[in-house]
Amino acid sequence: MQFGELIANMFAAVLLLGLLAIGFFIFGKPVWPERTARMVIILPVDAMKTAAINTTRLHLPANFEVGLVQPRPSR
């Protein structure tokens, strides 16, 4: 192998590695995805919040004072 072929092969290898590095920088994703743990924490159930109730309607007052209502904000 001649000295010129050795330099050409080294230049080709450096050029190939450079193109690969530029490709990784452009796309910005690693070759292998980062391993992360997916953990779910199950909290104890609150019986008062999950209990079924007989009435599904809201208990609204029969009337209210109009003077307490604030006007809608203007844009």
Side-chain angles (χ1 to χ4, degrees):
M1 186 187 277
Q2 294 181 354
F3 187 65
E5 287 181 36
L6 181 67
I7 292 175
N9 287 338
M10 288 178 58
F11 180 71
V14 168
L15 183 65
L16 181 65
L17 289 175
L19 289 175
L20 284 174
I22 289 171
F24 285 133
F25 282 126
I26 288 174
F27 294 111
K29 291 185 178 180
V31 177
W32 293 278
E34 182 178 336
R35 295 182 183 215
T36 57
R38 297 183 184 263
M39 188 183 314
V40 177
I41 299 172
I42 300 174
L43 299 174
V45 177
D46 185 10
M48 292 305 290
K49 289 183 181 177
T50 58
I53 56 174
N54 293 333
T55 60
T56 57
R57 294 178 296 164
L58 296 174
H59 297 288
L60 298 174
N63 52 20
F64 58 93
E65 284 190 41
V66 180
L68 296 175
V69 178
Q70 297 184 5
R72 180 182 292 182
S74 61
R75 287 186 176 190

